[in-house]
Amino acid sequence: MSADIATPLRPPRPDWHWHLGVAAFLLVWWLVYGQLIPVSEWIASLFPVERHSHTGEAVAFFFYDVPKVMMLLTLIVFAMGVVRSFFSPEKTRALLSGKSEGVGNVLSASLGIVTPFCSCSAVPLFIGFVSAGVPLGVTFSFLIAAPMVNEVALVLLFGLVGWQVAATYLVFGLAIAILAGFVIGKLRLEGWLQDWVRDIHSGADAPVAVEDERLTMADRYKLGIEAVREIFGKVWMWIILGIGVGALIHGYVPEDLMARIMGADAWWSVPAAVLMGIPMYTNAAGVIPIIEALLGKGAALGTVLAFMMSVIALSLPEMIILKQVLTLRLIAVFVGVVASGILAVGFLFNQIF
Amino acid sequence: MKTVKVYGPGCKRCEATATMVKDAAAKLGVEIEIEKVTDPRSIAMAGVLSTPGVAIDGRLVHTGGMPDAAKLEGWLAA
């Protein structure tokens, strides 16, 4: 990765240039977004296939969904990048330290959405939280919510499946993070941390935080652009691949096949979905287009959501990272509690919808 | 001679940050010694919650991502 070489000689652009630029971008975005259906139909008509054939359906689906998802992602990831620039793990920790359980879990899960977090710093963050007096359960609420309720998952659900499902995912993802953290807190498992983590917990003072770097609005916009660049670098291939697979399922898989395998009648489908999701490690971008296509073919919403939550929230690589600070027993409890929450959501939704 | 510590478990961005520090120091003609801290315990004890983090002569100047090139030069020159 090459860093931009800043040219300190030229004075930075004033903030209002950036405001204008962002406004112009939003206008262009909105105009283009309105034209996506006609353009995708036009592209599909260029292919020498019957529009209403399986292949025609698949082609139209692909050329409508790829640009739509890319555009939605650009907008939301940029916005979240700007929002996140107002938060930092240090500020979040200060807000959470010494909070009681209950209120702390709710606050922690909510902050998990807006605090910049990368799973590669899960271990330093965990230690930093616990050693500063953030209760174990509250720390877990953060660690569950941060990856599970993320803007990429929400945008994809919104764009490909519908806002109702996106809202449902947001509410129940948060609920699982809050409740699972609360339960883990109530179990009093501090003794199940690796020994050296406990020592830091009892001994060290909370280290001094970095001095606040002052950011202008322009800096924040730049962070938003940086976030878009980073997310796209990571997920563009998954999106195209995922939507490609989705398009195939959309065009070719018979209507009732999925209803039989993943429908609401088969009670075992929810636990099976959760189990299948644990070893799978992909980001939301790869899994959601497939989910859309499955839903379209009659798979039950609860089963599909359970699968998705399991893929994102319970990942094997993350557990291996956490093994440095947690004992296996504690990891098992963590997985058990979160998996139960996901199961409950899955069954509940299959009952309701 | 400045001692620069780059905190991070060895992810791509941590490597990139270390390279940025070297480049900036070379550009400014500041002599530095870089130490990469990869042990999660030491990272946490230094007060770094999100990696990569950068400390110059024991003072933590940046955490949570690759630093801004211009700011980095400012810290090294100070």
Side-chain angles (χ1 to χ4, degrees), chain A residues 1 3-6 89-90 93 118 120-121 123-125 127-129 196 200 204 207 210-211 213-215 230 324, chain B residues 9 11 13 16 20 27 40-41 43-51 59-63 66 68-71 73 75:
Chain A
M1 196 189 292
D4 300 318
I5 301 301
E90 287 82 9
R93 177 174 66 176
C118 145
C120 53
S121 11
V123 167
L125 185 125
I127 302 170
F129 272 33
W196 64 270
I200 296 183
V210 139
E211 296 148 43
E213 292 171 37
R214 290 227 159 268
L215 296 177
E230 202 184 317
Q324 296 178 57
Chain B
C11 53
R13 289 196 298 179
M20 278 179 78
K27 188 176 162 192
R41 179 180 185 163
I43 295 174
M45 292 299 281
V48 177
L49 282 185
S50 51
T51 55
R59 198 172 67 95
L60 195 57
V61 289
H62 178 82
T63 61
M66 291 173 39
D68 184 73
K71 281 182 185 166
E73 284 173 24
W75 296 322

Side-chain angles (χ1 to χ4, degrees), chain A residues 150-179:
Chain A
N150 68 72
E151 69 275 15
V152 178
L154 290 171
V155 164
L156 288 166
L157 280 179
F158 168 77
L160 294 173
V161 189
W163 69 266
Q164 300 91 332
V165 176
T168 306
Y169 182 85
L170 171 68
V171 170
F172 283 86
L174 268 179
I176 288 177
I178 293 166
L179 286 174

Side-chain angles (χ1 to χ4, degrees), chain A residues 24 42 62 71 76 83 93 107 112 139 185 215 295 347:
Chain A
W42 176 73
F62 185 81
M71 287 188 72
I76 303 300
V83 168
R93 177 174 66 176
L107 190 62
T139 305
L215 296 177
L295 281 177
F347 282 126

